[in-house]
Structures are given as C-alpha cells and as structure tokens.
Amino acid sequence: MSNPAAERARRKAAAEHALRSRGLPLTVQRRRLLERFLGAKDHPTAEMIYRDVAPLIPGLSHATVYRTLETLVDLGLARRLPHPGGDVRYDPRLERHHHLLCEACGAVRDYASSRLDALPFPDVSAAFETLDYTVLFRGRCAACRTPRSRRG
Amino acid sequence: MSNPAAERARRKAAAEHALRSRGLPLTVQRRRLLERFLGAKDHPTAEMIYRDVAPLIPGLSHATVYRTLETLVDLGLARRLPHPGGDVRYDPRLERHHHLLCEACGAVRDYASSRLDALPFPDVSAAFETLDYTVLFRGRCAACRTPRSRRG
DNA sequence: CTCCGTGCAAAAGGTTTGCACTGGT
DNA sequence: ACCAGTGCAAACCTTTTGCACGGAG
C-alpha cells in the first residue's frame, strides 16, 4: 500500500481530476510540476521546483511555478508548510503528520507517530476553529551535527 | 508570577545583561526594540517592529531592526517562529508552548497546555538531535470566521 | 580610545502583476 | 472559438551588505 510509484501515480491522477473538474487545463507545465511535486519529501520552495522542472520545459517562467503552486493550495492539493525561514515551502502530503526541522540547514523531514496523531484539539472552540495540527520538532539533523561538511 | 509588567521588566533586564556580558553595547535603538519586542504576543515580523519603533527614534533604519532581531536569535533571546508565510516572524517566548495559526489572516496566538508540554521526543536519536518542539494548530480565528470584516 | 552599531543606499532574493500571445478543451 | 495559462519584464516586498560616521563602554 505504500508502494511509492503507485502512490505517486494515484496522487497525480487525483490531482489531474481535480484540475479537470474545475475546468482548469492540464498543460505540459502543470504535468511536469505535478510529477516533480506530488510525492516529494523535500518540502520544496518554488525555486527548488523551478530548478528541477525548468530543464524539461524550455523557456519555463518562474511566474508559472509560483502561480501553479498557489493554485494547488487553493484547490486543497498542497499546503504551505510552517517553517522559520523567509521563503515559502510546500508540502504535498495532506494527511496529518509531523516534522523534524533542522535549525542549522533548514531541512525538514517527515515524522510519523500514531501517538502524535491522536492529540486533543485545543479547548477554545469559540475563539478558534481548528482544522488540523502538526507537531514540529526543532533540532539538528545528522549532517549538520557532523563536524565535516558543516554548513553554518 | 504572571504579572505582565513585572515579567516584561524581568525579561528586559535579562536581555540587557546578556548583551552586556558579551560586550555588546546597549544603544537607544536596542532598548526601544527590546521594549517593543519582549513580552509581545503578536509574533511580529521585522517590519511590524520597525513600524512601531520608528516613531520613537528619528531616522531609524530597517537594517538596524533586521540586524538586532538576528542578534537576539543568535544570543538565544528570541526564536524564529515556524509560519507558512513568506516573511520571518519572531517569538520572544523561549519556554515550550504551542500555537493557533489562522490560515486566513496569518495571525498566530499562543496556546498553553500542560498535556501538550509532555509529549515524547521522536525516536530517531541517531538521525536527529531534538531540542524542543511546538504543536501548531491550523484553522480560522474568530475574526476571520465572522462574515463582516473578512480579510481574504 | 576602541569597537561595535547605525544610517544610508545599493544590492540581492523572493514573489507578484499586467499584458500580449499560446494552447488546452 | 473560448477561456485560462504562459512567458516576459517590470514592479514590489523583504532582507542583506559595504562603507563612513557616531556613540557606548
């Protein structure tokens, strides 16, 4: 059930259906971007996606990548990831899950825990309508703890 | 113990001591910025702080605000707050606590819960050194749920 | 007196927008 | 054909940087 290729194909089909059902054209740009983004575990910025997709589409514009990612957020196919940095990161995973954030390099890794998935919602119902939550652990990843190849 | 004015004074004294003990001068700019920032509950951006402090200091430069905030982070007196937006938000509260994030307007409110303060650290010790964590609830604040005065 | 901080202005990113044109459907 | 998407370039916003001056210790 967690076959990565099958999972990616399923997500892509779902995304293409969501676009079509709203009358939004499936362009080459969107197809390539979906292939890069859906199933990604690197919580990419728009720029990271642009770098990876641009070689496949001559003349690709930054604006297209930014606009497409926001479209995916609007359609509920992606989410902006909470991150301490000054750029926007996107997460294709919609199910509840958690994150390990390296304070040295900014990398984000997913962390699964059924116990953390079962926390109570906040008891402030009138003041705030809670939709979901994520637990964010901050610390240092293995690469940044290693003296060699330190990054700052 | 939770007297806001006393708490703010205590934090300010601690911050001034931290600066002095490192040989960093306590300028007028830093004093005013600390008064605005320490004890703040609005998780401000650098620009928000600039707007509030600039009227008190003729000629204040944006650069000073950005540099001072990063200095506070380096000294461990402030933290960058995880946020889905494209700007950096700062949090003067260092103790473990949690947040309610409005997806409509981006506002962040603190949320205290002793139960949430006692979650287990992730079981990946070799791959990631965890220092702390925060639970981020996403949803809609009261203001953004009210039809009138909607903001987006 | 010695650093470090500050202001200024320019530069560097990251992100958004207006417009003419292309391309899905 | 129609309507949305795209590329391009400019604009915009946030953040960083180099340098000369001024102020804290």
Side-chain angles (χ1 to χ4, degrees), chain B residues 122-145:
Chain B
D123 183 20
V124 290
S125 43
F128 189 83
E129 177 195 25
T130 303
L131 299 174
D132 200 357
Y133 66 85
T134 185
V135 183
L136 208 72
F137 295 92
R138 60 182 188 79
R140 304 206 149 230
C141 69
C144 288
R145 290 171 70 192

Side-chain angles (χ1 to χ4, degrees), chain A residues 1-14 38-39 92-95:
Chain A
M1 58 177 68
S2 59
N3 176 331
E7 176 65 13
R8 195 156 7 107
R10 197 181 58 73
R11 281 174 182 272
K12 196 187 167 201
L38 298 175
R93 293 190 59 191
L94 303 175
E95 336 85 65

